[in-house]
Amino acid sequence: MDHEADAYRTDLMTMTRFVLNEQSKHPESRGDFTILLSHIVLGCKFVCSAVNKAGLAKLIGLAGETNVQGEEQKKLDVLSNEVFVKALVSSGRTCILVSEEDEEAIFVESSKHGKYCVVFDPLDGSSNIDCGVSIGTIFGIYVLNDGKEATLDDVLQPGKNMLAAGYCMYGSSCMFVLTTGSGVHGFTLDPSLGEFILTHPDIKIPKKGKIYSVNEGNAKNWDAPTAKYVEKCKFPTDGSSPKSLRYVGSMVADVHRTLLYGGIFLYPADKKSPNGKLRVLYEVFPMSFLLEQAGGQAFTGKERALDLVPKKIHERSPIFLGSYDDVEEIKALYAAEEKKE
């Protein structure tokens, strides 16, 4: 890659231009989705800037303390939540918001009412902020059935009904990964322009990977198929090389690496968390949608993740997602276990 030539490229595919191009393929569209997405992108830019300053903010006494004006400075996850809620409501295109930070769903007032339901985790992995590890925002978008009053059932839908999903990762660079149901595209924030530029068009996950990603600290509580699978990763019986273990503990970072390099990310159910740990609506569904769109798979231990129908907005589920062949292996182990029973 010629980086020097790249630096002078003038024909940049920005996120705005990309989304407008997509919109033009749907002559019936009124631009509502484009407006909604631009508000999500703005929220991500704001959070990216706040995350970059987090260490300094602490140094100069800004985090969780009261400033000179007597205003309490907010922790980053609370701040991020407020930013996204305000950005989404002010877009005038949303009707229901479900956030990891809020116990109840937010119903948007009728004057700012739109047809989209947005589920999101404003700052996933926020416990990693202080050590500089990549963290991110995850979101999914449903569309309301025409002309009816919005109810909670409009978000308690299986993931396969999602219109779009994505995440923004705040790491060594700020990267926005998006699917609208026709492939996965990655954009990187150019700080000098303040714009997300298309850097990873049409991402495809390798069919099989060399990496597995799981919290091995929970191993003593795992069920038999998970334990067998991880054993197989470390001590393959077919003469192949063992897989490498990579686990950041921040879902966005682990899934991002899995998406680009292949392999499998596991957060199984165990004796301690019989329903798994990750939330269905705003962690499992968006990531599963992205992985499937990139040619991978996502499985809960019982079924395809996107077929799951949530009963509660903060419901949890086990998840195994990644390269197609790797997820097939874990599915086979669960199927064999079921036969035994």
Side-chain angles (χ1 to χ4, degrees):
M1 193 177 179
D2 185 349
H3 287 287
E4 203 172 332
D6 222 40
Y8 294 105
R9 266 175 53 211
T10 49
D11 185 28
L12 295 172
M13 179 60 84
T14 64
M15 168 87 84
T16 316
R17 186 176 151 195
F18 179 85
V19 173
L20 287 170
N21 282 358
E22 289 298 303
Q23 186 190 315
S24 65
K25 294 174 190 170
H26 304 275
E28 74 289 352
S29 94
R30 303 207 328 266
D32 287 342
F33 180 73
T34 307
I35 290 167
L36 173 63
L37 206 57
S38 70
H39 279 74
I40 292 174
V41 167
L42 180 65
C44 291
K45 287 177 186 172
F46 185 98
V47 173
C48 179
S49 165
V51 166
N52 286 341
K53 291 186 201 135
L56 286 171
K58 202 164 198 171
L59 198 67
I60 52 180
L62 290 180
E65 294 177 15
T66 305
N67 65 12
V68 193
Q69 286 82 24
E71 301 163 332
E72 196 179 321
Q73 294 296 323
K74 299 186 176 71
K75 290 279 182 212
L76 260 180
D77 44 4
V78 180
L79 178 75
S80 306
N81 189 45
E82 281 189 16
V83 166
F84 277 105
V85 169
K86 284 177 179 159
L88 291 164
V89 171
S90 69
S91 73
R93 301 298 183 276
T94 56
C95 51
I96 307 175
L97 309 178
V98 172
S99 166
E100 193 258 351
E101 294 286 329
D102 295 312
E103 214 161 305
E104 303 292 327
I106 298 166
F107 288 85
V108 179
E109 59 187 91
S110 53
S111 63
K112 293 177 178 165
H113 210 273
K115 64 176 178 182
Y116 296 107
C117 311
V118 184
V119 293
F120 61 99
D121 186 345
L123 205 57
D124 182 72
S126 52
S127 58
N128 282 320
I129 292 169
D130 289 343
C131 62
V133 165
S134 296
I135 51 183
T137 299
I138 310 172
F139 67 91
I141 302 170
Y142 290 104
V143 66
L144 189 66
N145 298 327
D146 279 345
K148 61 188 253 316
E149 193 60 36
T151 67
L152 210 50
D153 288 341
D154 290 306
V155 287
L156 294 175
Q157 297 190 55
K160 63 184 175 193
N161 295 353
M162 266 185 183
L163 177 74
Y167 59 82
C168 187
M169 186 177 72
Y170 315 111
S172 53
S173 58
C174 178
M175 191 157 175
F176 193 101
V177 176
L178 173 73
T179 181
T180 53
S182 50
V184 179
H185 304 279
F187 302 80
T188 305
L189 184 65
D190 182 335
S192 62
L193 296 174
E195 281 280 9
F196 279 103
I197 309 295
L198 181 64
T199 49
H200 295 65
D202 201 19
I203 298 170
K204 290 281 179 248
I205 185 170
K207 197 154 186 296
K208 193 172 176 61
K210 297 179 178 149
I211 296 171
Y212 73 104
S213 184
V214 64
N215 182 352
E216 292 229 35
N218 294 331
K220 78 180 178 95
N221 295 318
W222 286 344
D223 61 13
T226 302
K228 266 186 205 151
Y229 181 77
V230 172
E231 187 70 10
K232 209 168 145 189
C233 289
K234 295 193 275 195
F235 304 100
T237 49
D238 58 1
S240 60
S241 303
K243 286 190 189 312
S244 298
L245 169 66
R246 299 280 183 275
Y247 187 71
V248 178
S250 171
M251 190 190 190
V252 173
D254 281 315
V255 171
H256 185 66
R257 183 200 55 247
T258 305
L259 184 62
L260 294 184
Y261 298 168
I264 188 166
F265 169 81
L266 315 84
Y267 210 117
D270 58 30
K271 292 179 193 130
K272 217 169 48 182
S273 316
N275 298 320
K277 197 82 180 280
L278 297 175
R279 268 67 54 110
V280 173
L281 273 181
Y282 41 81
E283 290 174 330
V284 171
F285 279 171
M287 292 311 201
S288 301
F289 188 17
L290 282 160
L291 262 293
E292 281 200 8
Q293 283 293 318
Q297 296 197 71
F299 176 65
T300 65
K302 291 190 176 76
E303 60 186 326
R304 174 191 176 210
L306 293 179
D307 287 340
L308 195 64
V309 183
K311 308 270 188 299
K312 301 195 298 286
I313 60 173
H314 297 297
E315 194 171 307
R316 297 169 191 263
S317 166
I319 186 68
F320 305 86
L321 53 79
S323 293
Y324 194 92
D325 290 355
D326 292 325
V327 178
E328 274 301 302
E329 280 184 43
I330 196 105
K331 280 163 80 173
L333 289 167
Y334 271 98
E337 187 72 12
E338 223 168 86
K339 271 188 196 147
K340 276 189 211 166
E341 290 166 15

